[in-house]
Amino acid sequence: MISSLLPSILQHENISRICEDGVYITDRRLLPFQKKEILCHDYAEASAAIKDMVTQGGGPLEVALNTVLYTYLHCPEHIRDAVVSLSSARPTNTTMKRELESVLRRCESGEDMSAVIASVFERYDALYDRVSDTGESVLENGDGILTTCFPEHTFMLSVKKAVMNGKDITVYVPETRPYLQGAHLTEPCLREMGVRCFLITDGMAAHFMREGKIQKYMTASDLALKDRTVVNKTGTLGNAISAKYYGIPYYAFSLGLDEGKQKDDIIIEYRSGESVKRMGDMEIASSSASALYPCFDIIDPELVTGIITDGGII
Amino acid sequence: MISSLLPSILQHENISRICEDGVYITDRRLLPFQKKEILCHDYAEASAAIKDMVTQGGGPLEVALNTVLYTYLHCPEHIRDAVVSLSSARPTNTTMKRELESVLRRCESGEDMSAVIASVFERYDALYDRVSDTGESVLENGDGILTTCFPEHTFMLSVKKAVMNGKDITVYVPETRPYLQGAHLTEPCLREMGVRCFLITDGMAAHFMREGKIQKYMTASDLALKDRTVVNKTGTLGNAISAKYYGIPYYAFSLGLDEGKQKDDIIIEYRSGESVKRMGDMEIASSSASALYPCFDIIDPELVTGIITDGGII
């Protein structure tokens, strides 16, 4: 049901698919200019592709599920290694690790893997549908919404449902350097769904808040804790602080709080500063410059109005 | 005296110079990859170059002074037209307009133009020197400094003097999209001056504040009012709000407050959204995307700790 509402790049087969020779992953780094799939012949190649940011957001989970199934079908003796390798490909993504370990347990207790994996996909689709109903309920007619990075299924479905319900919605999309997920993924998805949207640079959000153009700030979350701490793509924190300053509520979507984790447990990935010095293939800084790339922000609970979850707004 | 301290691109002859055929302007849009000068044969071409962002910050003033002198030497009957045309090339830059009108008055009262223009350049050099002494006094040993865009002479000299006085200083430089002045100008200048600096994306400043790496936030200002309102490049506002949230002082440099202006008089230039969709020659967004480019931020007085001026810190 939700697939008819989703933008094309979030349809399962456009994220990742299994074939005879391995698992295809759509290379999101090339979108929207080029649609190209990368073929991973085994779990090691799939893990490397996830590490290389071929896909992101919810993409790694779908890739990992397909890779585990492919491994099961072709080299079942490697399935445990596959789960370990894939889980460590994106350390901040604890959901993926949890799901893969659950799949492994069900596999080891003798369940049919194809059915297990299919059930996980179905469970997520139903979850996206319910969480986005809650997200839609937060949106009001006339709202300007700021987001950051690529907020994927739950946000896209929330906005789409709001527009289908006759609400007039405008989304402001920061380009999200260094990988430009806002420019490459979020803006094209919203436009494809018929949602009015404007691309801006990462430094412009506060300006539009000050002008009264933004009524809500909404992002995905790579991790959300019970105490309402949110971890999300670099840039999320600064916008959350600006939102608080202007009295604008900030909501983060989460498919499931990380119940066990404490704030002090959070490991922030630092990626190579070379990403900051490049824009795709183009050098944008001196090769001798030193650059830093902490790729996630920790947003403290006092900045978070609510986390939109399957259990309502926390 | 200050020229021995300044990074090369801020030396007068590397900003703009007069020759027989017109006025050369160093094209800052190509730095640091390419050093190229554009020759403007008359004031109309120089005004167009300023509008096209060939130079920026204090560059337009130096170009305008040289262009007025060139016009005076070759077509003195056009000098009034030149002042009007150059003044309107960058409406936010009221300093340029004021200086050009003053030069015009002195010229019309019979003063020698070469001497008048030379005296303006000398006055600015002395001003940079005094203001940066005040800037230096704000910097403390061990400080991490955040800036935004290209804060030019006063900031560069302040930091250079601090380092020469034995203070350990680290500067965090946001790349400053869409024109990347941080990556292209600020970072190379600091490195050339031997100041430790890190390039970051525009969304990362709050992260480093939260980590305790930033002790001061310092920018130039395109305009500063008596009530402490600052106008500066897009991105300045969000960082000022984050600084306030983390209790970090924000100082803006100003060569002279705009005494007459009220906040409501401020005209914010909107430039073409096409700049946001490009990175130099490279397309970074779909051609059918709608993008917005308000190129300056208004930073309200409650966010500004002090304005560093020739009269001390206001």
Side-chain angles (χ1 to χ4, degrees), chain A residues 32-33 172 175 177-178 180 183-184 187-188 191 197-204 206-208 210-211 213 229 234-239 241-242 244-246 263 268 270 276-277 279-300 302-303, chain B residues 32-33 172 175 177-178 180 183-184 187-188 191 197-204 206-208 210-211 213 229 234-239 241-242 244-246 263 268 270 276-277 279-300 302-303:
Chain A
F33 304 107
Y172 292 81
E175 58 185 1
R177 280 277 292 149
L180 294 168
H184 290 178
E187 191 281 335
R191 196 155 29 86
C197 58
F198 293 108
L199 185 66
I200 60 175
T201 68
D202 298 335
M204 289 178 191
H207 167 83
F208 291 103
R210 186 179 180 279
E211 300 262 293
K213 301 277 172 62
T229 299
T234 184
T236 306
L237 174 59
N239 290 338
I241 294 169
S242 292
K244 187 177 176 79
Y245 182 74
Y246 288 113
K263 201 187 289 193
I268 294 296
Y270 264 74
V276 172
K277 293 161 61 179
M279 185 84 52
D281 292 335
M282 184 185 181
E283 287 192 359
I284 63 122
S286 303
S287 56
S288 33
S290 300
L292 299 173
Y293 181 16
C295 58
F296 294 100
D297 277 342
I298 299 175
I299 301 97
D300 294 299
E302 61 269 24
L303 295 168
Chain B
F33 305 108
Y172 292 82
E175 59 186 1
R177 279 276 293 148
L180 294 166
H184 290 177
E187 192 281 334
R191 196 157 30 82
C197 59
F198 294 109
L199 184 67
I200 60 175
T201 68
D202 298 334
M204 289 177 190
H207 167 82
F208 291 102
R210 186 179 179 279
E211 300 261 296
K213 300 279 173 60
T229 299
T234 184
T236 307
L237 175 60
N239 291 338
I241 295 169
S242 292
K244 186 174 177 84
Y245 183 74
Y246 288 113
K263 200 188 290 191
I268 294 297
Y270 264 73
V276 172
K277 294 162 63 179
M279 185 84 55
D281 291 336
M282 184 184 180
E283 288 194 355
I284 63 122
S286 305
S287 56
S288 32
S290 300
L292 299 173
Y293 181 15
C295 58
F296 294 99
D297 277 342
I298 298 174
I299 302 97
D300 294 299
E302 61 268 25
L303 296 167

Side-chain angles (χ1 to χ4, degrees), chain B residues 40-280:
Chain B
C40 298
H41 298 87
D42 55 33
Y43 69 83
E45 287 185 17
S47 300
I50 291 172
K51 270 192 192 153
D52 285 351
M53 297 292 289
V54 171
T55 188
Q56 45 73 264
L61 174 62
E62 302 206 11
V63 170
L65 290 170
N66 283 336
T67 306
V68 166
L69 179 55
Y70 182 84
T71 307
Y72 174 80
L73 296 172
H74 293 82
C75 340
E77 71 280 13
H78 289 156
I79 193 155
R80 177 170 284 273
D81 292 340
V83 166
V84 170
S85 167
L86 291 160
S87 296
S88 65
R90 194 64 58 81
T92 313
N93 191 334
T94 53
T95 304
M96 181 165 79
K97 187 172 195 290
R98 194 177 57 238
E99 291 293 352
L100 294 182
E101 285 170 356
S102 156
V103 164
L104 182 64
R105 274 193 304 276
R106 291 172 68 179
C107 169
E108 288 176 343
S109 71
E111 287 191 59
D112 173 67
M113 271 303 272
S114 302
V116 167
I117 299 282
S119 77
V120 176
F121 275 108
E122 278 162 30
R123 179 158 48 79
Y124 271 88
D125 283 354
L127 184 59
Y128 295 145
D129 198 21
R130 291 193 304 273
V131 173
S132 61
D133 281 344
T134 306
E136 194 280 340
S137 73
V138 169
L139 299 175
E140 290 171 278
N141 187 34
D143 272 357
I145 313 291
L146 174 72
T147 188
T148 290
C149 200
F150 181 41
E152 292 205 297
H153 301 75
T154 47
F155 177 79
M156 293 295 165
L157 290 171
S158 299
V159 173
K160 177 69 180 175
K161 289 176 179 179
V163 170
M164 287 171 68
N165 289 339
K167 298 176 187 175
D168 183 37
I169 301 287
T170 305
V171 184
Y172 292 82
V173 183
E175 59 186 1
T176 318
R177 279 276 293 148
Y179 287 120
L180 294 166
Q181 293 95 331
H184 290 177
L185 305 175
T186 309
E187 192 281 334
C189 280
L190 289 165
R191 196 157 30 82
E192 179 189 339
M193 294 196 305
V195 179
R196 187 188 310 115
C197 59
F198 294 109
L199 184 67
I200 60 175
T201 68
D202 298 334
M204 289 177 190
H207 167 82
F208 291 102
M209 292 186 194
R210 186 179 179 279
E211 300 261 296
K213 300 279 173 60
I214 312 272
Q215 280 68 45
K216 309 258 158 46
Y217 177 38
M218 292 179 132
T219 70
S221 63
D222 286 273
L223 189 67
L225 306 189
K226 225 166 34 178
D227 72 356
R228 239 176 39 242
T229 299
V230 168
V231 176
N232 198 45
K233 179 57 53 185
T234 184
T236 307
L237 175 60
N239 291 338
I241 295 169
S242 292
K244 186 174 177 84
Y245 183 74
Y246 288 113
I248 296 163
Y250 168 43
Y251 295 98
F253 287 90
S254 171
L255 297 179
L257 300 187
D258 199 308
E259 297 287 342
K261 219 162 200 169
Q262 304 294 316
K263 200 188 290 191
D264 294 345
D265 303 335
I266 299 170
I267 301 159
I268 294 297
E269 289 176 64
Y270 264 73
R271 296 207 185 111
S272 164
E274 293 304 306
S275 304
V276 172
K277 294 162 63 179
R278 310 194 71 82
M279 185 84 55

Side-chain angles (χ1 to χ4, degrees), chain A residues 222-283:
Chain A
D222 286 272
L223 189 67
L225 307 188
K226 226 167 33 177
D227 73 356
R228 239 178 37 242
T229 299
V230 168
V231 177
N232 198 47
K233 177 56 56 185
T234 184
T236 306
L237 174 59
N239 290 338
I241 294 169
S242 292
K244 187 177 176 79
Y245 182 74
Y246 288 113
I248 297 163
Y250 168 42
Y251 296 99
F253 287 90
S254 171
L255 297 177
L257 299 187
D258 198 308
E259 297 287 344
K261 218 161 203 168
Q262 304 293 315
K263 201 187 289 193
D264 295 343
D265 304 336
I266 298 170
I267 302 160
I268 294 296
E269 289 176 63
Y270 264 74
R271 297 209 183 111
S272 164
E274 293 305 306
S275 304
V276 172
K277 293 161 61 179
R278 309 195 70 81
M279 185 84 52
D281 292 335
M282 184 185 181
E283 287 192 359

